[in-house]
Amino acid sequence: MKRILSGIQPTAESLHLGNYLGAVKQWVELQEGNDAFYCIVDLHALTIETEPAALRRRTLASAAQLIALGLDPKRCTLFIQSHLSEHNQLGWIFECITGFGEASRMTQFKDKSQKSGADRTVVGLFTYPMLQAADILLYQANKVPVGEDQRQHIELTRDLAQRFNSKYGDTFTVPEAHIMKASAKINDLQDPTAKMSKSAASNAGVIDILDSADVNAKKIKSAVTDTGKEVKFDEKSKPGISNLLTIHSSLSGKSIAELENEFIGKGYGDFKSAVAEVVTEYFAPVKVKAEELLKDEVGLIEILREGAEKARVVANRTLKSTYDALGLVPGKQFLP
Ligand code: TYM
């Protein structure tokens, strides 16, 4: 069985369509026939200052949505990053083998730090990718299902694993990014050349899966398109329509060619209505299920704690072999 690991930051009340189509949809599929670990990376979320009550609420809301979207805690290990100290411990080791220049080249760091300016950028944002490498390598993951925006972080993770292995002996599995070509980058509906993101300046182009059918239908109907008439996939000259085709196709299971055919002779208005219908129908039951799960907070936390105990067995073992490889004198923190 292949080991899978991926993570999501609890930085919003609702997952957006990019999170689902770029990552979580694959997570659900990869539960079958693999040993899958999925982590809500609350420590990573601390790189953005958040009100404590909101962080707590978003962490549980993320868990509820992941389960409602199809993660089954009996078939995968779903847990919260901060429940295991091993993530920080291994993160530090990677900070000690990552070059300053190498970390400075991470585009997510560059973008985010440029936006807020050097004085307001926290050190945690700089070391973020080393904690992410720890998340992955602790579990000896073979595959990491993510969207395109995470490719560079996975590349760094691979470099760190190889570097450690060649210096200190084989300790880590070198993972591969698992990126679905068709839905690797879902774009903002108002700016269809930029990725859909929870940190977008305006929420008008972001489809939150928990939003009401009305709100999402309105956003889809006002999506930016082009001056043409044809519903055709062409990312260069029709980025808006192409994005909507990707969304429809990923959720309805119809191919892009089938959809192009279906909308021959029809206008963009009809097509947008069809996309809105597919999106709202798909996520309506998810919203109900997520709300239901959140009503039993104690039960939800228990699921996550059980997940953490399963994760600990693997994480603790990897940390022990890492410490051994480095020549650190073993303490009592390791499981028998
Ligand atoms: P995060 O929380 O920003 O996003 C979670 C997942 O959603 C994907 N994604 C998208 N995919 C397609 N189109 C989009 N517009 C879009 N927006 C987001 C992301 O690629 C991601 O897969 N650094 C990670 C979290 C992380 C992690 C890990 C991931 C921490 N440790 C270990 C994998 C393995 C992040 O910020 O994802």
Side-chain angles (χ1 to χ4, degrees):
M1 273 218 266
K2 292 263 188 263
R3 184 64 65 65
I4 311 292
L5 179 123
S6 199
I8 186 164
Q9 295 193 72
T11 40
E13 308 297 324
S14 169
L15 268 64
H16 60 68
L17 204 50
N19 297 137
Y20 179 64
L21 294 179
V24 178
K25 191 162 181 276
Q26 279 66 253
W27 298 10
V28 175
E29 286 157 15
L30 289 165
Q31 293 179 111
E32 309 304 327
N34 294 295
D35 188 15
F37 287 73
Y38 299 122
C39 181
I40 298 164
V41 292
D42 54 348
L43 296 170
H44 277 113
L46 295 177
T47 54
I48 305 164
E49 198 179 330
T50 313
E51 202 218 317
L55 178 61
R56 184 181 193 283
R57 196 175 60 240
R58 290 169 181 177
T59 301
L60 295 176
S62 302
Q65 288 167 77
L66 292 173
I67 297 172
L69 286 164
L71 289 192
D72 176 355
K74 290 201 181 69
R75 284 184 295 168
C76 70
T77 304
L78 176 64
F79 65 103
I80 299 181
Q81 185 187 34
S82 66
H83 286 189
L84 290 119
S85 50
E86 283 83 351
H87 289 246
N88 301 78
Q89 291 173 294
L90 189 63
W92 172 254
I93 307 292
F94 291 136
E95 284 175 40
C96 294
I97 65 163
T98 305
F100 202 84
E102 187 174 36
S104 311
R105 284 192 293 275
M106 292 294 112
T107 54
Q108 288 214 332
F109 169 73
K110 284 199 284 187
D111 291 350
K112 288 188 184 166
S113 56
Q114 257 162 24
K115 263 191 205 159
S116 36
D119 286 344
R120 294 186 55 218
T121 298
V122 296
V123 175
L125 199 60
F126 188 64
T127 57
Y128 180 116
M130 290 125 252
L131 181 59
Q132 179 163 350
D135 297 341
I136 299 169
L137 299 179
L138 269 179
Y139 299 93
Q140 308 288 358
N142 304 100
K143 280 189 199 173
V144 187
V146 285
E148 181 61 41
D149 61 346
Q150 295 301 312
R151 191 186 287 279
Q152 197 188 26
H153 287 167
I154 313 299
E155 273 306 313
L156 176 71
T157 302
R158 289 169 55 84
D159 289 348
L160 293 176
Q162 277 158 347
R163 189 172 307 162
F164 190 100
N165 287 349
S166 66
K167 271 195 184 160
Y168 302 104
D170 258 355
T171 308
F172 300 110
T173 303
V174 180
E176 264 170 39
H178 177 86
I179 300 177
M180 298 305 287
K181 214 170 164 204
S183 54
K185 185 173 171 244
I186 300 299
N187 288 333
D188 187 286
L189 301 187
Q190 287 299 315
D191 178 4
T193 54
K195 78 164 181 184
M196 188 177 284
S197 160
K198 46 200 159 198
S199 52
S202 145
N203 205 32
V206 179
I207 298 291
D208 283 326
I209 66 163
L210 294 186
D211 253 344
S212 71
D214 283 355
V215 170
N216 281 337
K218 208 167 158 202
K219 285 182 181 174
I220 293 167
K221 285 177 187 164
S222 25
V224 168
T225 51
D226 52 80
T227 52
K229 284 202 187 80
E230 259 183 308
V231 176
K232 255 199 137 8
F233 192 90
D234 178 345
E235 276 177 312
K236 273 225 173 82
S237 57
K238 290 171 171 288
I241 289 294
S242 304
N243 192 37
L244 292 175
L245 276 166
T246 301
I247 292 171
H248 191 313
S249 162
S250 310
L251 295 176
S252 67
K254 292 184 183 175
S255 71
I256 300 275
E258 256 176 275
L259 290 170
E260 286 174 343
N261 251 330
E262 193 177 322
F263 288 94
I264 286 175
K266 294 187 187 149
Y268 286 177
D270 285 350
F271 174 57
K272 284 179 171 177
S273 300
V275 176
E277 203 177 304
V278 167
V279 169
T280 55
E281 271 182 22
Y282 196 95
F283 293 109
V286 173
K287 185 175 155 74
V288 175
K289 177 102 200 278
E291 280 165 0
E292 207 175 281
L293 283 158
L294 276 172
K295 277 192 204 140
D296 178 15
E297 205 180 278
V298 175
L300 189 58
I301 294 176
E302 191 47 36
I303 291 175
L304 296 164
R305 286 185 177 156
E306 279 173 21
E309 290 322 301
K310 279 204 275 168
R312 196 181 310 282
V313 177
V314 183
N316 194 268
R317 198 189 307 135
T318 305
L319 188 69
K320 173 153 194 331
S321 18
T322 312
Y323 277 20
D324 284 346
L326 286 164
L328 295 169
V329 177
K332 285 191 174 172
Q333 75 266 49
F334 297 112
L335 302 170

